[in-house]
Protein backbone atom coordinates (compact mmCIF):
# COMPACT_ATOMS: atom_id res chain seq x y z
CA UNK A 1 0.00 0.00 0.00
CA UNK A 2 2.81 2.43 0.86
CA UNK A 3 4.35 1.91 -2.56
CA UNK A 4 1.03 2.72 -4.22
CA UNK A 5 0.77 5.95 -2.21
CA UNK A 6 4.28 6.96 -3.24
CA UNK A 7 3.55 6.20 -6.90
CA UNK A 8 0.41 8.31 -6.72
CA UNK A 9 2.39 11.16 -5.15
CA UNK A 10 5.03 10.87 -7.87
CA UNK A 11 2.40 11.06 -10.61
CA UNK A 12 0.64 13.99 -8.96
CA UNK A 13 3.90 15.86 -8.47
CA UNK A 14 4.23 16.04 -12.24
CA UNK A 15 0.93 17.92 -12.68
CA UNK A 16 0.68 20.02 -9.52
CA UNK A 17 2.10 23.56 -9.97
CA UNK A 18 5.31 24.45 -8.15
CA UNK A 19 4.32 25.33 -4.56
CA UNK A 20 5.94 27.88 -2.28
CA UNK A 21 4.73 26.07 0.84
CA UNK A 22 2.94 22.81 1.71
CA UNK A 23 -0.45 24.55 1.92
CA UNK A 24 -0.33 25.17 -1.82
CA UNK A 25 0.20 21.46 -2.46
CA UNK A 26 -3.01 20.69 -0.58
CA UNK A 27 -4.91 23.50 -2.31
CA UNK A 28 -3.93 22.19 -5.74
CA UNK A 29 -4.57 18.58 -4.76
CA UNK A 30 -8.01 19.38 -3.38
CA UNK A 31 -8.94 21.04 -6.66
CA UNK A 32 -8.08 17.79 -8.47
CA UNK A 33 -9.97 15.79 -5.87
CA UNK A 34 -13.14 17.79 -6.43
CA UNK A 35 -12.75 17.35 -10.18
CA UNK A 36 -12.28 13.58 -9.82
CA UNK A 37 -14.36 13.00 -6.71
CA UNK A 38 -15.36 9.41 -7.51
CA UNK A 39 -11.74 8.32 -7.73
CA UNK A 40 -10.35 10.15 -4.71
CA UNK A 41 -13.23 9.32 -2.38
CA UNK A 42 -12.02 5.73 -2.48
CA UNK A 43 -8.64 6.77 -1.05
CA UNK A 44 -8.66 7.06 2.77
CA UNK A 45 -7.92 10.59 4.05
CA UNK A 46 -4.94 9.23 6.00
CA UNK A 47 -3.30 8.27 2.71
CA UNK A 48 -4.03 11.67 1.17
CA UNK A 49 -2.15 13.25 4.09
CA UNK A 50 0.86 11.17 3.10
CA UNK A 51 0.45 12.18 -0.54
CA UNK A 52 0.55 15.87 0.42
CA UNK A 53 3.89 15.53 2.18
CA UNK A 54 5.37 13.24 -0.46
CA UNK A 55 4.46 15.70 -3.23
CA UNK A 56 5.95 18.58 -1.23
CA UNK A 57 9.10 16.54 -0.68
CA UNK A 58 9.43 15.69 -4.37
CA UNK A 59 8.93 19.31 -5.34
CA UNK A 60 11.47 20.55 -2.80
CA UNK A 61 14.19 17.91 -2.96
CA UNK A 62 13.40 15.51 -5.79
CA UNK A 63 13.00 12.58 -3.39
CA UNK A 64 10.70 11.39 -0.61
CA UNK A 65 13.01 11.64 2.41
CA UNK A 66 11.84 15.08 3.53
CA UNK A 67 8.23 13.95 3.34
CA UNK A 68 8.95 10.84 5.38
CA UNK A 69 10.69 12.95 8.04
CA UNK A 70 7.80 15.43 8.24
CA UNK A 71 5.21 12.65 8.46
CA UNK A 72 7.00 11.35 11.56
CA UNK A 73 6.59 14.77 13.21
CA UNK A 74 3.02 15.77 12.38
CA UNK A 75 0.05 16.22 14.69
CA UNK A 76 -3.50 17.43 14.09
CA UNK A 77 -5.45 20.16 15.84
CA UNK A 78 -8.80 21.91 15.65
CA UNK A 79 -8.30 25.59 16.48
CA UNK A 80 -11.05 28.20 16.60
CA UNK A 81 -11.37 31.95 17.10
CA UNK A 82 -13.79 34.83 16.70
CA UNK A 83 -13.16 38.46 15.80
CA UNK A 84 -15.90 40.09 17.86
CA UNK A 85 -18.48 40.21 15.07
CA UNK A 86 -22.01 39.26 16.06
CA UNK A 87 -23.91 36.81 13.90
CA UNK A 88 -26.76 38.33 11.92
CA UNK A 89 -30.02 36.62 11.06
CA UNK A 90 -32.77 37.51 8.62
CA UNK A 91 -35.21 39.92 10.23
CA UNK A 92 -38.45 38.10 10.99
CA UNK A 93 -40.54 41.27 10.98
CA UNK A 94 -39.81 42.20 7.37
CA UNK A 95 -38.53 38.81 6.10
CA UNK A 96 -35.20 40.41 5.21
CA UNK A 97 -36.70 43.08 2.95
CA UNK A 98 -35.76 45.99 5.19
CA UNK A 99 -39.21 47.48 4.84
CA UNK A 100 -42.85 46.68 5.59
CA UNK A 101 -46.11 47.71 3.95
CA UNK A 102 -47.66 50.93 5.17
CA UNK A 103 -51.00 50.43 6.95
CA UNK A 104 -52.16 53.94 6.13
CA UNK A 105 -52.09 53.84 2.34
CA UNK A 106 -52.23 51.84 -0.86
CA UNK A 107 -48.92 51.99 -2.74
CA UNK A 108 -48.11 55.39 -1.27
CA UNK A 109 -51.50 57.04 -1.94
CA UNK A 110 -54.27 57.92 0.50
CA UNK A 111 -57.78 59.26 -0.08
CA UNK A 112 -57.91 63.03 -0.37
CA UNK A 113 -59.61 64.45 2.72
CA UNK A 114 -60.72 67.59 0.88
CA UNK A 115 -62.89 65.82 -1.69
CA UNK A 116 -63.27 62.46 0.14
CA UNK A 117 -61.75 60.73 -2.85
CA UNK A 118 -64.22 62.08 -5.38
CA UNK A 119 -61.70 64.35 -7.10
CA UNK A 120 -64.20 67.27 -7.25
CA UNK A 121 -65.25 70.05 -4.90
CA UNK A 122 -68.12 72.51 -4.98
CA UNK A 123 -67.47 75.50 -7.18
CA UNK A 124 -67.06 78.52 -4.95
CA UNK A 125 -67.90 80.89 -7.77
CA UNK A 126 -71.47 79.67 -8.20
CA UNK A 127 -71.81 77.84 -4.89
CA UNK A 128 -72.53 74.64 -6.78
CA UNK A 129 -75.49 75.89 -8.79
CA UNK A 130 -73.66 76.12 -12.09
CA UNK A 131 -75.09 79.62 -12.67
CA UNK A 132 -74.30 83.14 -11.63
CA UNK A 133 -76.34 86.37 -11.69
CA UNK A 134 -74.90 89.33 -13.58
CA UNK A 135 -76.90 92.57 -13.85
CA UNK A 136 -80.12 90.63 -13.39
CA UNK A 137 -79.16 88.10 -16.04
CA UNK A 138 -78.57 84.43 -15.24
CA UNK A 139 -75.40 83.14 -16.83
CA UNK A 140 -73.61 79.82 -16.94
CA UNK A 141 -70.76 79.84 -14.45
CA UNK A 142 -67.52 80.19 -16.37
CA UNK A 143 -65.50 78.71 -13.51
CA UNK A 144 -67.14 75.30 -13.57
CA UNK A 145 -68.77 75.41 -17.00
CA UNK A 146 -72.16 74.97 -15.41
CA UNK A 147 -71.24 71.73 -13.68
CA UNK A 148 -71.30 73.20 -10.20
CA UNK A 149 -68.08 71.42 -9.31
CA UNK A 150 -64.40 71.92 -10.09
CA UNK A 151 -61.33 69.68 -9.74
CA UNK A 152 -60.16 69.40 -6.18
CA UNK A 153 -57.34 71.85 -5.53
CA UNK A 154 -55.72 69.49 -3.04
CA UNK A 155 -55.42 66.37 -5.22
CA UNK A 156 -55.82 67.92 -8.71
CA UNK A 157 -58.86 65.76 -9.38
CA UNK A 158 -57.12 62.45 -8.71
CA UNK A 159 -58.99 61.78 -5.50
CA UNK A 160 -55.76 60.67 -3.79
CA UNK A 161 -52.69 62.39 -2.37
CA UNK A 162 -49.20 61.22 -1.35
CA UNK A 163 -49.00 59.41 1.98
CA UNK A 164 -46.84 61.39 4.39
CA UNK A 165 -46.07 58.32 6.52
CA UNK A 166 -44.10 56.27 4.01
CA UNK A 167 -42.29 56.10 0.69
CA UNK A 168 -44.30 54.53 -2.12
CA UNK A 169 -46.17 52.35 0.35
CA UNK A 170 -43.10 51.10 2.22
CA UNK A 171 -42.01 51.85 5.76
CA UNK A 172 -38.48 51.26 7.02
CA UNK A 173 -38.53 48.25 9.32
CA UNK A 174 -37.79 49.40 12.87
CA UNK A 175 -36.57 45.99 14.00
CA UNK A 176 -33.65 45.89 11.55
CA UNK A 177 -33.50 49.61 10.71
CA UNK A 178 -33.79 48.80 7.04
CA UNK A 179 -30.85 46.35 6.88
CA UNK A 180 -32.95 43.21 6.53
CA UNK A 181 -30.77 41.52 9.17
CA UNK A 182 -30.70 41.72 12.95
CA UNK A 183 -27.83 41.06 15.34
CA UNK A 184 -27.97 38.05 17.63
CA UNK A 185 -26.01 37.45 20.84
CA UNK A 186 -23.87 34.85 19.04
CA UNK A 187 -20.45 35.47 17.53
CA UNK A 188 -19.32 34.53 14.06
CA UNK A 189 -16.36 32.19 14.53
CA UNK A 190 -13.90 30.24 12.43
CA UNK A 191 -12.66 26.65 12.77
CA UNK A 192 -9.29 25.58 11.36
CA UNK A 193 -8.51 21.87 11.22
CA UNK A 194 -4.76 21.76 10.71
CA UNK A 195 -1.89 19.34 10.41
CA UNK A 196 1.38 20.75 11.73
CA UNK A 197 5.00 19.78 12.21
CA UNK A 198 5.87 22.93 14.16
CA UNK A 199 7.05 22.28 17.71
CA UNK A 200 5.61 25.49 19.15
CA UNK A 201 2.14 24.96 17.69
CA UNK A 202 2.09 21.30 18.76
CA UNK A 203 3.17 22.16 22.29
CA UNK A 204 0.65 24.98 22.71
CA UNK A 205 -2.19 22.87 21.32
CA UNK A 206 -1.34 19.91 23.50
CA UNK A 207 -1.26 21.84 26.78
CA UNK A 208 -4.33 24.02 26.03
CA UNK A 209 -6.65 21.42 24.47
CA UNK A 210 -10.21 22.08 25.75
CA UNK A 211 -8.77 24.59 28.21
CA UNK A 212 -9.67 28.19 29.03
CA UNK A 213 -6.07 29.22 28.35
CA UNK A 214 -5.32 30.98 25.07
CA UNK A 215 -3.46 28.71 22.68
CA UNK A 216 -1.92 31.60 20.76
CA UNK A 217 -2.89 34.95 19.31
CA UNK A 218 -4.40 35.18 15.86
CA UNK A 219 -1.30 37.16 14.89
CA UNK A 220 1.01 34.35 16.04
CA UNK A 221 -1.11 31.79 14.21
CA UNK A 222 -0.97 33.76 10.95
CA UNK A 223 2.76 34.37 11.35
CA UNK A 224 3.38 30.60 11.46
CA UNK A 225 1.16 29.82 8.45
CA UNK A 226 4.07 28.14 6.62
CA UNK A 227 4.37 25.64 9.48
CA UNK A 228 0.97 24.03 9.13
CA UNK A 229 -1.61 23.05 6.52
CA UNK A 230 -5.25 24.00 6.92
CA UNK A 231 -6.99 20.81 5.83
CA UNK A 232 -10.51 22.06 6.56
CA UNK A 233 -12.03 25.43 7.33
CA UNK A 234 -15.54 26.25 8.52
CA UNK A 235 -17.43 29.38 9.53
CA UNK A 236 -20.17 29.08 12.14
CA UNK A 237 -21.71 30.99 15.04
CA UNK A 238 -22.21 30.44 18.75
CA UNK A 239 -22.60 32.19 22.08
CA UNK A 240 -19.29 31.76 23.89
CA UNK A 241 -18.28 31.70 27.52
CA UNK A 242 -16.90 35.06 28.76
CA UNK A 243 -13.32 33.77 28.81
CA UNK A 244 -13.27 33.30 25.02
CA UNK A 245 -11.58 36.52 23.89
CA UNK A 246 -11.71 37.95 20.40
CA UNK A 247 -8.68 37.58 18.10
CA UNK A 248 -7.27 34.77 20.27
CA UNK A 249 -6.92 31.15 19.16
CA UNK A 250 -8.17 28.23 21.27
CA UNK A 251 -7.55 24.52 20.76
CA UNK A 252 -10.65 22.32 20.88
CA UNK A 253 -8.90 19.13 19.79
CA UNK A 254 -5.35 17.79 19.50
CA UNK A 255 -4.22 14.33 18.36
CA UNK A 256 -1.45 12.46 16.63
CA UNK A 257 -3.91 9.98 15.18
CA UNK A 258 -7.40 11.46 14.69
CA UNK A 259 -10.32 9.93 12.85
CA UNK A 260 -10.32 11.69 9.49
CA UNK A 261 -13.09 12.07 6.93
CA UNK A 262 -14.00 14.09 3.85
CA UNK A 263 -16.67 16.76 3.89
CA UNK A 264 -18.81 17.81 0.90
CA UNK A 265 -16.04 20.10 -0.34
CA UNK A 266 -13.47 17.30 -0.23
CA UNK A 267 -11.71 18.96 2.67
CA UNK A 268 -10.24 16.68 5.31
CA UNK A 269 -11.95 17.15 8.67
CA UNK A 270 -12.58 15.37 11.93
CA UNK A 271 -15.69 15.04 14.06
CA UNK A 272 -13.85 14.09 17.26
CA UNK A 273 -13.76 17.57 18.77
CA UNK A 274 -16.24 19.19 21.16
CA UNK A 275 -16.86 22.94 21.34
CA UNK A 276 -19.38 22.68 24.15
CA UNK A 277 -16.67 23.45 26.69
CA UNK A 278 -16.37 26.96 25.21
CA UNK A 279 -19.85 27.63 23.84
CA UNK A 280 -22.88 28.31 26.02
Amino acid sequence: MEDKIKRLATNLAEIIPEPKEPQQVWDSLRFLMREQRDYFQKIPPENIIKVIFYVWSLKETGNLKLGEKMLNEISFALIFHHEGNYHKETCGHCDGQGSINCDECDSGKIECSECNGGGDETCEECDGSGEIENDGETLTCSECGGEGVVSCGECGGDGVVECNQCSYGNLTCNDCEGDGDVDTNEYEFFEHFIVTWDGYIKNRCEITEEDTDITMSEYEFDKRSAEFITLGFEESHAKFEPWVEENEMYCAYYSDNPRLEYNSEMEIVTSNYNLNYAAK
Side-chain angles (χ1 to χ4, degrees):
M1 176 59 72
E2 192 68 23
D3 288 340
K4 290 182 178 180
I5 297 170
K6 291 178 179 179
R7 284 198 299 272
L8 175 60
T10 301
N11 292 334
L12 289 170
E14 295 178 358
I15 60 176
I16 287 179
E18 293 298 322
K20 293 182 179 180
E21 55 188 42
Q23 180 70 55
Q24 293 178 347
V25 173
W26 171 230
D27 293 341
S28 297
L29 177 55
R30 191 162 67 90
F31 175 81
L32 292 174
M33 290 172 64
R34 290 198 301 266
E35 292 290 305
Q36 302 180 40
R37 185 183 299 264
D38 291 342
Y39 171 75
F40 281 101
Q41 278 183 330
K42 299 174 183 178
I43 303 175
E46 294 79 6
N47 290 344
I48 291 297
I49 297 296
K50 294 180 180 180
V51 168
I52 296 170
F53 286 96
Y54 286 149
V55 170
W56 169 250
S57 182
L58 288 166
K59 291 289 192 179
E60 281 290 285
T61 66
N63 59 59
L64 300 173
K65 291 182 180 179
L66 174 62
E68 291 171 341
K69 178 178 181 296
M70 295 175 75
L71 284 168
N72 288 328
E73 298 173 354
I74 62 171
S75 294
F76 298 80
L78 190 291
I79 303 178
F80 70 93
H81 77 289
H82 75 80
E83 297 176 345
N85 299 316
Y86 284 106
H87 174 64
K88 292 180 178 290
E89 291 185 346
T90 300
C91 178
H93 190 211
C94 66
D95 292 328
Q97 299 301 309
S99 63
I100 57 175
N101 293 330
C102 178
D103 292 332
E104 302 295 325
C105 70
D106 180 17
S107 300
K109 301 289 185 178
I110 59 174
E111 183 180 276
C112 177
S113 59
E114 289 295 317
C115 64
N116 295 320
D120 298 325
E121 57 185 349
T122 301
C123 177
E124 295 180 356
E125 186 70 22
C126 66
D127 199 26
S129 68
E131 299 176 335
I132 58 173
E133 296 290 331
N134 185 15
D135 294 333
E137 184 180 1
T138 301
L139 301 173
T140 299
C141 177
S142 61
E143 186 69 23
C144 65
E147 298 295 329
V149 293
V150 294
S151 293
C152 175
E154 183 68 21
C155 66
D158 292 333
V160 293
V161 294
E162 298 289 338
C163 177
N164 59 9
Q165 302 295 320
C166 68
S167 175
Y168 301 103
N170 296 314
L171 288 169
T172 299
C173 177
N174 289 328
D175 286 14
C176 65
E177 299 180 344
D179 290 338
D181 296 317
V182 292
D183 284 335
T184 68
N185 61 356
E186 298 185 348
Y187 287 109
E188 298 279 358
F189 74 94
F190 311 94
E191 297 179 5
H192 312 255
F193 183 56
I194 67 171
V195 57
T196 183
W197 51 96
D198 180 74
Y200 172 81
I201 297 177
K202 289 164 58 176
N203 180 64
R204 290 301 303 160
C205 287
E206 184 173 15
I207 65 177
T208 62
E209 180 188 13
E210 289 196 17
D211 201 340
T212 59
D213 286 345
I214 296 168
T215 301
M216 69 189 76
S217 68
E218 185 180 359
Y219 169 78
E220 185 70 30
F221 183 69
D222 291 340
K223 188 175 72 173
R224 295 177 177 271
S225 61
E227 306 304 318
F228 64 84
I229 300 171
T230 298
L231 299 169
F233 176 80
E234 184 176 348
E235 298 182 33
S236 191
H237 55 89
K239 185 177 181 181
F240 286 106
E241 297 288 351
W243 51 264
V244 180
E245 301 179 33
E246 64 183 76
N247 299 318
E248 304 290 356
M249 311 295 293
Y250 297 86
C251 182
Y253 178 71
Y254 178 78
S255 175
D256 293 335
N257 187 29
R259 184 175 70 244
L260 302 176
E261 56 195 58
Y262 298 120
N263 65 13
S264 61
E265 298 298 318
M266 290 303 287
E267 294 177 319
I268 296 177
V269 296
T270 185
S271 57
N272 284 6
Y273 68 95
N274 174 25
L275 276 180
N276 289 339
Y277 82 99
K280 293 183 178 181

